[in-house]
Amino acid sequence: MSDNGKLKLSFNSPIILGFTILCFLAMILNMVTRGASNHMLFSVYRSSLLDPMTYVRMFGHVLGHANWDHFFGNIMLILVVGPLLEEKYGSMNLLFVILATALTTGVIHFILFPGVGLLGASGVVFALILLSSLTCMKEGTIPITFILVAVIYIGQQVYDGIFVRDNVSNLTHIIGGVVGAGLGFVMNKNKMNRY
C-alpha cells in the first residue's frame, strides 16, 4: 500500500511486461495485415542472407503467434514464471535469456528446416521453465527439481517429436530449455552480473 492507504499498480517486471505487450501488438498487427506481418517480421524461414529482414526475423519470431490460443498459451506461462525470474536474476539478464533463446532457436531452425516457418514464444517459455527450476541452486549442487523438470518437459518434447505429428516445433522447445538451463547455471555461478 502507498502512504495514503490506497493500492497502486506496480510495473514490477519491465522485461516480461514489455515482451507481453510486444507479442500482443504483433498479434494485432498480424490480424490487421491478414498474416503479412507474421511472414515479414515474426517468423523464421529460409531466406537470403543478403536480406536485412532475415536478421530481424531471427529475433522477431518469438513475438509472433499463429492465433489467440497460441498467444495465450505462451504468454500465460511467461507471465507466471517470468516476473519471479526477473526479480531473481535482474531485468537485463532476463532480456539476455530471451534474446539468446530467440537467436539460437532462429538460427538452428533456419539451418535445419528450410521449408518450414517458425514463430511463437514457446522456446522462451521452455527457457524460463528450465531456468526457474535452477533458482534455488547452491554451489556444488544440482536441484532434484531441475532434473525432474528437465526429464519431464524435455522428455515429453522428444517423445512428441518422434511419435506425434503436429505443427509444434519440439526441437525449438528443447533448444529453448537447453539455453535456459545453460544460462541458469552461468547466472547461478555469478558469472553474469545481476542488473
Side-chain angles (χ1 to χ4, degrees):
M1 285 197 191
S2 66
D3 293 337
N4 61 8
K6 293 184 180 178
L7 291 175
K8 293 170 51 176
L9 292 177
S10 167
F11 200 73
N12 62 314
S13 187
I15 297 301
I16 292 301
L17 291 171
F19 183 79
T20 299
I21 291 166
L22 288 174
C23 288
F24 178 76
L25 292 175
M27 190 71 205
I28 297 297
L29 184 61
N30 189 56
M31 290 173 57
V32 169
T33 63
R34 299 180 188 199
S37 65
N38 268 1
H39 182 73
M40 184 187 308
L41 301 168
F42 306 122
S43 53
V44 170
Y45 49 85
R46 184 71 58 86
S47 57
S48 171
L49 293 175
L50 299 176
D51 179 1
M53 295 309 294
T54 298
Y55 303 98
V56 171
R57 289 188 292 266
M58 289 292 177
F59 293 97
H61 70 95
V62 297
L63 301 176
H65 290 85
N67 54 47
W68 287 109
D69 286 340
H70 188 207
F71 170 82
F72 286 122
N74 284 333
I75 293 304
M76 187 60 67
L77 286 167
I78 288 171
L79 286 172
V80 169
V81 177
L84 302 171
L85 295 173
E86 191 166 347
E87 184 177 326
K88 173 167 175 66
Y89 295 110
S91 295
M92 291 301 102
N93 282 337
L94 197 61
L95 178 61
F96 183 78
V97 170
I98 292 169
L99 292 174
T101 302
L103 182 60
T104 304
T105 56
V107 167
I108 290 173
H109 187 85
F110 183 90
I111 293 168
L112 296 180
F113 302 101
V116 179
L118 170 70
L119 76 158
S122 56
V124 172
V125 169
F126 274 77
L128 298 183
I129 288 170
L130 269 288
L131 179 60
S132 71
S133 66
L134 292 170
T135 57
C136 296
M137 185 174 149
K138 294 179 177 45
E139 187 69 35
T141 66
I142 296 177
I144 292 174
T145 53
F146 168 74
I147 295 169
L148 290 172
V149 167
V151 168
I152 292 169
Y153 272 91
I154 302 299
Q156 179 68 42
Q157 294 309 303
V158 171
Y159 174 86
D160 287 352
I162 295 170
F163 297 110
V164 178
R165 296 289 171 238
D166 56 19
N167 287 329
V168 174
S169 177
N170 303 100
L171 181 60
T172 298
H173 297 171
I174 293 167
I175 293 166
V178 169
V179 170
L183 290 175
F185 279 107
V186 169
M187 287 187 288
N188 279 302
K189 290 188 176 266
N190 293 322
K191 292 183 181 168
M192 290 176 78
N193 292 327
R194 186 188 179 284
Y195 56 96

